[in-house]
Amino acid sequence: MMAGVGYDAHVVAGVSRALKRRVGKLAYVVEMLRQLGHFHFRPYRLAFDGAAPVEAASAILANGRRYGGAFVCAPQADLGLERLDACLFGRGGRLAAVGYGFALGLDLIPRLSSVVLQPFREVMIDGPAGDPVQGDGDIIATLPARLTVAEARLAVVVAAPAIGDSAGAAMLPGQG
């Protein structure tokens, strides 16, 4: 669904698994605050579809509109399209990170003048060597990295919930 570099990826890399088991998504908020104290905001260079690189303080690369479940980061992102959408955060630093956090909570990220939205099929990302790249809340790679739209689609089949099944899982014949 999404990947990230910069502050976002460092937050994911630092989240305590034990705390995440105890408090769920609140563990990310705790780590966001902890990262504010020591994260070194350095620019990342992203080259979209072979074009000249652009710099960003952080970036979210999305296949869908939602970030973190409830927040809109890339309003034009669409799972049905054969492209991804980048949300590039232009300003670095602690104050900017706090401002972006509030804007995210208020669904204002796409309206900020310091945020650039960029559709793409492939991106080359460069920054501090070994910096983490997060994907859907897990570390999936380190920099430098290349992300691209896959040529083949994955078909997903989801069973409809059975009548009266509050858990939402369908029961197979002979179960129950």
Side-chain angles (χ1 to χ4, degrees):
M1 288 291 295
M2 50 84 53
V5 296
Y7 182 67
D8 167 76
H10 282 269
V11 167
V12 169
V15 167
S16 160
R17 290 181 190 224
L19 184 61
K20 188 176 173 184
R21 278 191 298 273
R22 285 195 309 268
V23 299
K25 288 184 179 183
L26 185 58
Y28 290 96
V29 175
V30 170
E31 186 60 22
M32 285 171 60
L33 296 172
R34 193 181 80 72
Q35 286 289 335
L36 277 177
H38 64 84
F39 180 70
H40 298 288
F41 291 87
R42 297 182 189 114
Y44 295 86
R45 289 166 305 289
L46 298 96
F48 295 100
D49 299 324
V54 296
E55 285 194 354
S58 285
I60 303 296
L61 311 160
N63 195 16
R65 302 181 48 199
R66 302 267 176 208
Y67 172 81
F71 309 109
V72 175
C73 192
Q76 300 302 315
D78 185 331
L79 295 172
L81 299 177
E82 293 182 7
R83 69 157 207 240
L84 300 171
D85 283 69
C87 181
L88 305 174
F89 298 87
R91 294 180 24 230
R94 290 168 180 78
L95 186 59
V98 169
Y100 288 138
F102 279 114
L104 183 65
L106 298 171
D107 281 339
L108 297 175
I109 290 288
R111 297 185 197 160
L112 298 178
S113 62
S114 63
V115 171
V116 173
L117 302 175
Q118 171 73 45
F120 68 96
R121 289 191 50 81
E122 178 180 84
V123 62
M124 301 295 290
I125 308 167
D126 196 15
D131 253 25
V133 178
Q134 71 91 4
D136 294 331
D138 293 305
I139 300 305
I140 59 170
T142 57
L143 294 182
R146 183 186 93 156
L147 280 75
T148 186
V149 174
E151 293 298 323
R153 291 181 179 225
L154 176 65
V156 178
V157 178
V158 179
I163 297 174
D165 183 7
S166 62
M171 292 178 64
L172 298 174
Q175 289 184 329

